[in-house]
Structure formats: structure tokens, C-alpha cells
Amino acid sequence: HRDLHSFPHDALPIYFEIQRADPHVAVIVYFDGVAKGILPPMSTRAYWKTTTRVEFTLVDTRATLRVEPRILDQIDVPRSTLVSDHEIGAHEIGLLFVDGELTERLPPGRHAFWKATRKIAVQKFDLRPQPVEVTAQELLTKDRISLRVTLTAFYRIIDPEKAMRGATDLQTTLYRLIQFAVREAIATRTLDEILAARDRIDAEVRAYVGERAGELGVERADERGGRVRGDGEERRQRGHVVIVARRRNLFAGLLAAAVLTAAIRFVGG
């Protein structure tokens, strides 16, 4: 500023391009047609123009939320404090929040927003099938037989708005739903009743978890080659029961069947 003040006032326009950015206005600065930076709102700069052609593009950030692609390609986004830049993958969906309010979904692609006068946040959701692991759960049947259950279920987000509002931690919420459903199915029946009521238990668990999963914006994801495996073991004085099951994944509703179906052996007695 000292050097600038040393020039006679009437000489300044001869040597300098002086630009002041008004509130809510971002100024893109060009040297010989090449973007060199962004002048933020409420700031003033002076640029030598004796050997360089200096030009400006003014953007009213109040009226313009998105950064135009042509501008985005010209500026150094990582160094800019005025642009919020986001890449949504081909398998993702994004939710845009402006000043804390959900405004729209963002499809796959690049999305950039002016944040000079607002707070921008983007929450991404992976739409691919995601696993929920329920590992080494010790469950007691009604007749006090202990089963150790290890399960894997797959879910897919179908409504990101519901998923965002329905749970702070979606994985943990689904885990607890699955855990509770299977525990209830096993704890209220004897082992013999469990083995005789596989289909009914399957339907009960499917209904319980499926209804609540819908409220969370997700659905079951059937994956070819994906399997749910349950292992149960009960040891008493002279014998033990071993339950091992392998089935294709049918989300939480079929987790009970994974524990109840397939090879059952009783050793001793």
C-alpha cells in the first residue's frame, strides 16, 4: 500500500487496474485472458497493467449457487476459499445442504458451489450393497441351549433422505435391528420348536426387520455368491449340538434360517 500511495492519484488509472469486490461479489481476475485467482467479497486489489492485460468477471454469489463449469475449469479450486467442490462417484448419490437445510439430491458427477455467503455441506451415500456383520452372538433358546451365531446381511440404500434422517449411524442401527430380531426368534422357542418352525421364524424376522429397514431408507440386497453363515454350538455334560448353515444372502429376514437350516448334528447324549 505504501508504494501505491506514492503514485499521484490521477496517475493510478494509467498504471493499475483497481478492483473492489462488493459484499456478496466474487471477482475472477484474468491476466492476458488466463484466470489467476478470485478476489473475495469486501476486498480491494490493484494490478499492474502496463505489460499485462487485466480483466475481471464479477459473480453475485447471492444470486448464483453453482459455479459454472467454464469458471470451474479456469480457477485453482484447491486454493480457493470461496468454492466448495465435490465429486459424486458413479455408485453414489449426494445430498446438498445449504446453511444446514437440505436442498437437493446430487447425481454422479462434479458439483461446485459458491460458499462466500453461505455454508455448504454435501453428504454422500454409497448405493452399492453394503454388509452388516453380526459376529459371535451368544443366544439362548427357551430351553437354555446356547447358540453362537455369526451372520452377514447385505442392504442397499434406496432413499438417502430417509437414511439421513432415520439414523445417525445406519450400520449400527441395522446391526441392532438384526440382532434383536434373531434373539427374539430364538429366545422364545425351544431348540426343537426352532427346528420345526423354520419357515415361520423366517417370516417373523423378515417382517420385523424389513418394516423397520424401510423406515431407514434401505432394502435387502440379494447378491449372487454372497452367503450368510451361522454357527451355533451348545455344550453340556456329555454332548453338544453343532449347527452350521450356508445360504445365499436374503438380508435380515433370512438370518434366522441361516442358523436353523442345513447340517445339524447331535453328538453324545
Side-chain angles (χ1 to χ4, degrees):
H1 292 291
R2 184 176 63 249
D3 292 340
L4 188 61
H5 292 158
S6 66
F7 281 81
H9 184 73
D10 56 356
L12 289 178
I14 300 175
Y15 298 101
F16 297 96
E17 285 288 354
I18 300 175
Q19 181 66 51
R20 181 180 185 276
D22 294 330
H24 313 295
V25 174
V27 179
I28 304 172
V29 183
Y30 296 86
F31 292 168
D32 293 329
V34 179
K36 291 298 182 180
I38 303 177
L39 186 61
M42 296 298 294
S43 60
T44 303
R45 298 289 188 276
Y47 303 92
W48 282 100
K49 66 176 184 180
T50 53
T51 59
T52 303
R53 187 176 81 258
V54 182
E55 299 170 306
F56 306 99
T57 296
L58 279 63
V59 179
D60 185 348
T61 59
R62 291 176 303 180
T64 306
L65 174 61
R66 291 181 176 271
V67 181
E68 296 182 22
R70 64 178 182 83
I71 294 177
L72 195 60
D73 292 339
Q74 295 173 345
I75 61 178
D76 186 356
V77 173
R79 296 180 59 184
S80 174
T81 60
L82 298 181
V83 177
S84 180
D85 189 28
H86 304 272
E87 187 72 32
I88 308 299
H91 56 277
E92 295 177 323
I93 198 76
L95 296 182
L96 172 65
F97 296 83
V98 179
D99 292 330
E101 181 180 352
L102 175 61
T103 60
E104 64 178 291
R105 285 189 185 188
L106 301 178
R110 189 181 186 185
H111 304 270
F113 310 94
W114 294 108
K115 61 178 182 179
T117 59
R118 56 181 70 91
K119 182 180 179 181
I120 298 292
V122 172
Q123 186 174 356
K124 298 180 183 180
F125 292 87
D126 194 326
L127 302 182
R128 295 173 296 187
Q130 302 293 319
V132 177
E133 301 283 347
V134 180
T135 58
Q137 293 295 303
E138 294 285 349
L139 303 177
L140 287 177
T141 65
K142 188 176 180 179
D143 50 352
R144 311 301 292 174
I145 294 177
S146 176
L147 298 178
R148 176 175 294 176
V149 182
T150 298
L151 307 168
T152 301
F154 288 85
Y155 71 93
R156 179 188 297 110
I157 293 175
I158 57 173
D159 190 328
E161 288 85 358
K162 277 189 177 182
M164 179 270 299
R165 296 189 181 101
T168 303
D169 187 332
L170 186 59
Q171 282 261 343
T172 299
T173 302
L174 289 171
Y175 176 96
R176 289 174 178 168
L177 280 176
I178 297 167
Q179 184 185 52
F180 181 81
V182 176
R183 181 184 292 121
E184 286 297 297
I186 292 177
T188 56
R189 293 175 169 89
T190 66
L191 180 61
D192 288 340
E193 290 171 341
I194 290 171
L195 299 178
R198 294 193 300 263
D199 293 339
R200 186 161 63 253
I201 294 174
D202 179 33
E204 290 174 6
V205 177
R206 178 191 293 273
Y208 179 87
V209 180
E211 177 183 349
R212 289 157 180 80
E215 295 170 358
L216 297 173
V218 303
E219 68 176 2
R220 78 173 192 264
D222 298 338
E223 288 215 328
R224 293 185 180 276
R227 293 185 297 184
V228 175
R229 188 177 72 178
D231 297 289
E233 181 174 289
E234 182 271 341
R235 294 185 182 275
R236 288 182 288 186
Q237 294 178 350
R238 293 183 298 163
H240 63 272
V241 176
V242 179
I243 301 175
V244 179
R246 288 182 174 84
R247 292 187 56 171
R248 294 190 180 193
N249 170 64
L250 294 178
F251 189 54
L254 295 184
L255 296 181
V259 181
L260 309 174
T261 309
I264 301 174
R265 296 186 293 113
F266 181 75
V267 181

